Amino acid sequence: MGFLQTVWTIARKDLVIEARSRELAYTTLFFAVSVVLVFSFSFVVEGVALTDAASGILWVAIAFSGTLALGRTFERERQADTLKALLLSPVERPAIYLGKLAGVLLLMLVVEAVVAPVVGLLFQAPIGRAPLLLVGLLMAGTLGFAAVGTLFAAMLIRAQSRDVLLPVLLYPITVPLVIAGVRGTAAILAVEPNLAVAQAWLSMLVFFDAVFVTLALWVFGPVMGE
Amino acid sequence: MPSRSKLIPGLLAVAAVMFAAAPFLIDAAPYEASMGLIQRIFYYHVPSAIVMFLSAFVCGIASAVYMAKRSPGADATAVSAAELVVVFGLIVLVTGPIWARKAWGVWWQWDARLTSALVLWLIFVSYMMLRRFAGAGSEMLAAAVGVFGMANVPFVYWSVNVWRTIHPNTNVVKSLSPEMRLPFAWCAVAFLILYVALLLTRLRLERSQMALEAAYAEIED
């Protein structure tokens, strides 16, 4: 089986499980929308959202719901000890990592496809202003977040107090991604949009992605035990 | 190792003498026109920051070595360096706002360099939490965090040039008047010597713990 085929097989396994139970999609989505609602109480003053609040709330919802999805994805693998079976199977470690990453990434993107319009609707944010750029920012930011998250969630699978440790480790390290995502999105959604600034943040996100994915691929093998 | 056991007290003695002499040297340096007395915190703030970044690199490199070779010495170095990042980072994060209160009128600014120094510090606090709470086998997991923590350091350091900032530029050290340069260099060296002494002490403790655990394991067998 080729490398890419292995990646796809592992990702498809997760997606089939998810398509049958829809547990993660429903819970994560509901959670993300609740987060948006809770933040709206703080950042909507007299019916008008504060400057740049929409982009901040969007990314906070993504980060929070992503953490939830990551934790649950690997909790599934832990309960039936299936991650061990995956690691014992004769496939390369990077292929396992990329397969899990693809599954998490797709799920998070589905959630974002719903949450971004909800934020646009509730905060009067013009999300249709530069759709390709916004999609680019969301995809690049999510890729970086999921890349670090998949690595950490996988390595914490055998650790104690993994539920609290995942966000504790994940948020400080993904801060550059969140800053770039929030500032880039804010540049698009602002009253006076600045698309050149958004593009600069997008290229920075792509750079972060390259660094984080490369590092994670190298680290995944030793961390999961050879 | 007798040489090692004499090295640490020696380094500590040199650092103690240098720190005792530092206030006199700083006092002899001219007052900075606009900041006055509070500028002098710079002689402790910047060396602590240098040591903090240095220690983050030591931890990251030791983590990478541990990941590649699985040598216990590298892991001991990584955990010792990570603890010192937290300690010196605390000095940076306490002295910085004291200076900022006078210079900017506020204790904290969400400036790029302040934020990124705080983020770096948080990464290493989370590293310590991982080691403390993750249970058996946390060494390898911590090594992964160490490697990612080091990878974040360049983002931290160059952020000042990429993002707009109000923090004094990195060129400020070069622009110091000659009378200020001596106490600054003196303090930087004192902090470095203190850092090396603390790192070696912490490493010795880690080695003793490893030896103790090995001895316990031997008894139980």
Side-chain angles (χ1 to χ4, degrees):
Chain A
M1 207 160 37
F3 184 83
L4 284 176
Q5 214 181 342
T6 316
V7 172
W8 172 238
T9 310
I10 293 167
R12 200 187 57 180
K13 164 193 84 77
D14 278 2
L15 294 174
V16 167
I17 295 173
E18 189 46 45
R20 290 193 184 145
S21 70
R22 286 183 291 276
E23 176 205 8
L24 269 177
Y26 286 159
T27 50
T28 312
L29 190 57
F30 184 80
F31 178 72
V33 174
S34 320
V35 167
V36 172
L37 187 71
V38 170
F39 274 98
S40 71
F41 297 133
S42 320
F43 297 120
V44 178
V45 182
E46 290 172 11
V48 182
L50 299 177
T51 319
D52 295 349
S55 67
I57 290 168
L58 176 62
W59 282 92
V60 167
I62 291 169
F64 283 8
S65 61
T67 315
L68 209 66
L70 282 164
R72 187 68 197 127
T73 310
F74 283 91
E75 191 61 26
R76 261 183 201 156
E77 296 275 16
R78 200 184 66 86
Q79 273 168 356
D81 242 352
T82 44
L83 190 67
K84 199 183 271 173
L86 254 185
L87 292 171
L88 286 172
S89 60
V91 293
E92 292 159 79
R93 289 287 147 92
I96 299 177
Y97 170 76
L98 287 178
K100 295 300 291 180
L101 172 60
V104 171
L105 185 64
L106 264 173
L107 181 74
M108 285 182 73
L109 289 177
V110 167
V111 171
E112 284 163 27
V114 178
V115 174
V118 166
V119 169
L121 199 76
L122 293 179
F123 296 93
Q124 294 102 35
I127 57 164
R129 188 178 273 155
L132 278 180
L133 203 51
L134 183 63
V135 168
L137 282 168
L138 284 173
M139 286 179 74
T142 312
L143 173 61
F145 187 85
V148 183
T150 305
L151 172 72
F152 285 0
M155 74 184 200
L156 283 171
I157 201 163
R158 284 186 302 258
Q160 290 165 17
S161 45
R162 55 188 158 276
D163 306 334
V164 282
L165 282 175
L166 178 61
V168 161
L169 296 177
L170 189 53
Y171 292 155
I173 283 182
T174 52
V175 156
L177 291 163
V178 174
I179 293 177
V182 170
R183 296 324 309 165
T185 314
I188 298 177
L189 301 182
V191 182
E192 286 168 27
N194 191 340
L195 297 186
V197 168
Q199 269 163 357
W201 285 115
L202 177 60
S203 41
M204 201 169 243
L205 272 178
V206 172
F207 173 68
F208 287 156
D209 285 353
V211 172
F212 283 153
V213 172
T214 313
L215 264 183
L217 280 172
W218 179 67
V219 164
F220 188 74
V223 162
M224 298 313 287
E226 234 89 46
Chain B
M1 270 186 291
S3 62
R4 172 67 59 79
S5 63
K6 272 180 199 156
L7 180 63
I8 294 173
L11 285 171
L12 281 174
V14 172
V17 170
M18 287 188 80
F19 273 112
F24 297 103
L25 279 170
I26 294 170
D27 190 47
Y31 267 72
E32 204 265 334
S34 60
M35 292 290 298
L37 185 66
I38 203 78
Q39 179 266 338
R40 292 165 181 234
I41 209 162
F42 159 87
Y43 298 111
Y44 294 97
H45 177 75
V46 179
S48 311
I50 292 173
V51 168
M52 174 189 175
F53 282 103
L54 174 74
S55 199
F57 271 103
V58 170
C59 176
I61 291 166
S63 299
V65 169
Y66 179 65
M67 216 172 268
K69 293 193 178 157
R70 290 167 195 267
S71 57
D75 181 51
T77 311
V79 67
S80 310
E83 274 181 16
L84 290 171
V85 174
V86 175
V87 171
F88 284 96
L90 201 59
I91 299 177
V92 173
L93 291 174
V94 169
T95 52
I98 298 174
W99 179 89
R101 184 73 182 85
K102 171 85 176 174
W104 304 330
V106 286
W107 294 103
W108 184 264
Q109 274 282 348
W110 288 105
D111 154 79
R113 181 173 286 201
L114 272 69
T115 313
S116 36
L118 177 65
V119 169
L120 182 67
W121 187 72
L122 285 177
I123 290 174
F124 283 88
V125 172
S126 72
Y127 176 99
M128 297 312 304
M129 281 201 243
L130 178 67
R131 290 204 80 119
R132 178 94 168 68
F133 299 120
S138 63
E139 296 85 7
M140 192 52 87
L141 312 188
V145 178
V147 168
F148 270 88
M150 180 176 71
N152 262 22
V153 172
F155 301 151
V156 169
Y157 192 78
W158 282 299
S159 63
V160 73
N161 301 321
V162 177
W163 291 313
R164 284 199 307 168
T165 180
I166 59 172
H167 189 284
N169 197 271
T170 34
N171 294 327
V172 80
V173 174
K174 279 178 234 149
S175 69
L176 284 181
S177 74
E179 297 86 10
M180 287 180 180
R181 234 175 259 171
L182 170 70
F184 174 72
W186 180 273
C187 284
V189 171
F191 266 96
L192 280 175
I193 292 174
L194 177 68
Y195 171 68
V196 172
L198 287 176
L199 188 68
L200 290 176
T201 312
R202 185 64 186 79
L203 262 172
R204 200 170 60 175
L205 177 67
E206 196 67 24
R207 288 225 178 83
S208 313
Q209 270 173 347
M210 280 177 185
L212 186 67
E213 272 163 32
Y216 269 125
E218 212 166 290
I219 293 170
E220 277 172 19
D221 280 341

